[in-house]
Amino acid sequence: MAAPRFPLRVFRTPQWARQQPTYADADPAVIGAAYRRARRRPSGNWYVVGASREVARGRPVGRSVDGVELVLWRDGLGRLLAGPGACPHLGAPLRTARVDADRLVCRWHGLALGEESVGNWSPVPAHDDGVLAWVRLDRLGGERPTPLPSVPTRPEGGVLDAVATVIGRCQPRDVLTNRLDPWHGAWYHPYSFANLRVISAPPVDADLPEHRDVFTVEVTFKVAGRVGVPVIAEFSCPGPRTVVMRIVDGEGSGSVVETHATPVGLGPDGAPRTAVVEAVVASSPRPGFALARVVAPVIRPAMAWAARRLWRDDIAYAERSYWLRTKGAGS
């Protein structure tokens, strides 16, 4: 499906209730096997903690990964730094610290912290890939550490990116299995998808490498009414907490949507919380796309809103999956 000169197409689709049912194809065994293969892929102990632009110079940011409190900040050169979120002196929250040159200065008693260990406080590896911020937590991950995270392949050249974060009462597996079920798209999100057809899915009994462990989908992204953009996309898992949707044919070929599921820790009710950090990295050779990049600060909020709209529904789906599993009724 080569990209047409004009990307928008008028499409026809049956009424919602008269779509071709997909429950027979959405085999839980297929979804579960894909998730188990993803879990076996190494992450190097790296976790996505948010959008890189959320960590601005001079302003520390607090995050939590599976109950580990963290603080992130930038040095004078703009490098991303990270460390435990509690001051080693008396436990003050370092997310409220001041940044002075390259160091965090605790607001309780003025202890300055940087790239050296102080008592039981030690910085942790951090990485800014230009879109997302990552931290490496070796004690938590328990894998062989790697110097850098395995960032999914993204389109080259000028891109437009946006990041949205949603917190759910569930575990990362509930987020991944949701994304590894493309069959629900046109049923659960009829405002965004039409004429969705899963062309191929990976087999259950196979030990597949990532590049072959792929769901291929034909779908029309709705723009307005019966006008949309038809594409072919692939879903794959490069790691145990990440699903990548990549457009492989049609408008925006090469563009990706990365869904990263980061465990946050236990909520006040004792149930786990997971942060869904979704990055949309779009590219197009069309001349108008260059203008879109110029006005990116205006377009990004709309892109993030669209991602959060989908996850408003999907997080409820993931939360129910977690609830059913804890009641012994789910996989």
Side-chain angles (χ1 to χ4, degrees):
M1 185 192 303
R5 293 194 175 193
F6 187 65
L8 300 181
R9 287 289 181 270
V10 176
F11 64 87
R12 299 184 65 181
T13 189
Q15 294 180 354
W16 180 83
R18 299 186 184 281
Q19 298 179 93
Q20 181 67 33
T22 57
Y23 64 87
D25 296 321
D27 187 346
V30 172
I31 298 168
Y35 168 69
R36 288 190 293 274
R37 289 191 294 269
R39 282 191 62 187
R40 294 196 293 267
R41 296 185 181 116
S43 70
N45 302 327
W46 288 94
Y47 297 80
V48 170
V49 289
S52 60
R53 62 176 58 89
E54 291 175 337
V55 188
R57 292 194 188 192
R59 208 172 62 200
V61 171
R63 288 290 186 270
S64 180
V65 177
D66 211 3
V68 177
E69 185 184 10
L70 298 167
V71 63
L72 297 95
W73 76 100
R74 295 191 184 275
D75 66 10
L77 298 176
R79 290 185 308 144
L80 183 68
L81 302 174
C87 179
H89 178 220
L90 288 176
L94 292 176
R95 67 179 182 276
T96 66
R98 300 286 179 87
V99 179
D100 180 57
D102 296 344
R103 294 178 173 271
L104 286 177
V105 180
C106 180
R107 294 183 62 193
W108 276 22
H109 300 96
L111 177 61
L113 300 163
E115 295 188 72
E116 306 83 25
S117 297
V118 176
N120 62 356
W121 189 97
S122 295
V124 300
H127 178 69
D128 181 347
D129 67 23
V131 177
L132 297 171
W134 304 68
V135 295
R136 198 183 80 196
L137 301 173
D138 295 336
R139 186 176 300 178
L140 180 62
E143 301 176 8
R144 177 178 296 177
T146 56
L148 296 172
S150 179
V151 179
T153 302
R154 295 170 178 163
E156 298 180 353
V159 299
L160 179 61
D161 66 89
V163 179
T165 300
V166 176
I167 305 293
R169 187 179 184 271
C170 59
Q171 295 175 322
R173 67 181 289 181
D174 303 298
V175 173
L176 263 68
T177 54
N178 173 279
R179 271 298 181 260
L180 292 173
D181 170 16
W183 292 276
H184 79 269
W187 285 100
Y188 204 47
H189 308 292
Y191 48 82
S192 291
F193 306 122
N195 298 332
L196 189 151
R197 181 173 67 94
V198 178
I199 299 172
S200 65
V204 174
D205 300 321
D207 187 13
L208 300 173
E210 179 204 341
H211 71 278
R212 292 182 54 205
D213 200 358
V214 172
F215 295 78
T216 304
V217 176
E218 183 179 44
V219 63
T220 294
F221 292 110
K222 287 188 175 182
V223 176
R226 293 190 178 275
V227 176
V229 180
V231 302
I232 293 177
E234 292 182 346
F235 291 77
S236 64
C237 288
R241 292 176 294 276
T242 300
V243 178
V244 176
M245 185 211 76
R246 185 181 315 279
I247 297 176
V248 295
D249 202 357
E251 180 65 23
S253 183
S255 300
V256 298
V257 177
E258 302 173 13
T259 304
H260 301 271
T262 300
V264 174
L266 300 180
D269 56 0
R273 299 296 193 271
T274 294
V276 180
V277 184
E278 189 155 279
V280 180
V281 187
S283 176
S284 173
R286 297 183 184 279
F289 190 75
L291 175 60
R293 292 178 55 228
V294 171
V295 295
V298 176
I299 295 177
R300 280 195 186 104
M303 294 171 64
W305 175 86
R308 282 192 293 269
R309 184 187 187 191
L310 285 171
W311 271 107
R312 176 194 64 196
D313 292 337
D314 272 343
I315 206 66
Y317 186 112
E319 288 177 338
R320 180 164 178 82
S321 295
Y322 168 75
W323 181 80
L324 287 172
R325 191 169 63 256
T326 59
K327 298 296 182 184
S331 59

